[in-house]
Amino acid sequence: MAPITLNNGQPKEDTTPNYDVCENYDGKYRFAPIEESQVARAMIKRYFNTMYERAVSDVVIIGAGSAGLSCAWQLANMHPELKITIIEASVAPGGGAWLGGQLMSPMVVRKPADGFLRQLGVEYEDEGAFVVVKHAALFTSTLLSKVLAKPNVVMMNATAVEDLIIHEDFRGEQRVAGVVTNWTLVALNHDTQSCMDPNTITAPVIISATGHDGPMGAFSAKRLVSAGLKKELGNMRGLDMSRAEPAIVNSTREVVPGLIFAGMELSEHDGSNRMGPTFGAMIASGTKAAHVASGIFAS
Ligand code: AHZ
């Protein structure tokens, strides 16, 4: 292998420990013996134990995009005692944050949200009012790995929230008390089968960060309207970076008891502008949602 060289042409000392999984590749490579059933049971046991345990959670975060993941990281740091369950409809978590925008990979983050990158240890170039991460996937993969490493966080991907649990208290006040889930492939096939009943997760705090409208997006905002808890959607307005970013962060809140909105879902709920490919507001909205949730537990 060619030696690694630094920008100044000097050879770099390679301090990487040698974790080579193979002593030789001469055709005698062997794995530890295993039965197929062991593999099946290793997965089934953990997956269904998680479902069983998280049927009652403290916080459910709907959507693992930049807002939902930023929220999960902040909340898990603030509250290691809370059972935080992330439900993500796609196979690949990360939402739109694998690319910076318009299918181009660098990610722009407006100040002061760059502090979050320092917290994560993600490097960037400083351009004055904003910073640029060389590839959005560096941000998303770092954040995702740190969130998933938290002992109190679990994520169920390829799982869609297809309804909200809404309870009425003795005063007649409606409160969001959980989510109704299904494997996404099942949720997408309700029209082709007669009845495929869903699962439920109850939690005192639901944080919805499902993004702006799309095949799955703005899920909870739309459900609030069809459930009669909101008259009509505000609908996302045109692009205006200067107005959109502070509007999203400042409007991050508990929209109905038990349900907090974060990220671009708020633009559909409130009728605020989109900001295009700049991610400071997603980070700041996610972290603010964590503080709002913390306040609910403190009250
Ligand atoms: O798959 C969705 C995505 O990963 C997931 N999701 C949506 N509906 C769901 C449901 N159940 C479970 N019913 C669901 N998961 O939610 C995630 C949303 O991520 P996103 O990246 O679309 O939204 P965000 O608000 O975190 O970030 C928005 C990024 C944008 S859009 C935009 C513009 O259009 O101007 N600008 C920015 C920065």
Side-chain angles (χ1 to χ4, degrees), residues 62-67 87-90 95-96 159-161 209-212 216-217 219 263-264 274-276 278-279 282:
I62 316 173
S66 46
I87 305 294
E88 167 52 51
S90 294
T159 304
V161 169
T210 68
H212 60 63
M216 289 283 195
F219 171 79
M264 284 308 280
R274 71 192 306 180
M275 73 288 300
T278 164
F279 283 82
M282 297 303 109

Side-chain angles (χ1 to χ4, degrees), residues 13 251 258 272:
E13 192 191 344
S251 64
S272 54

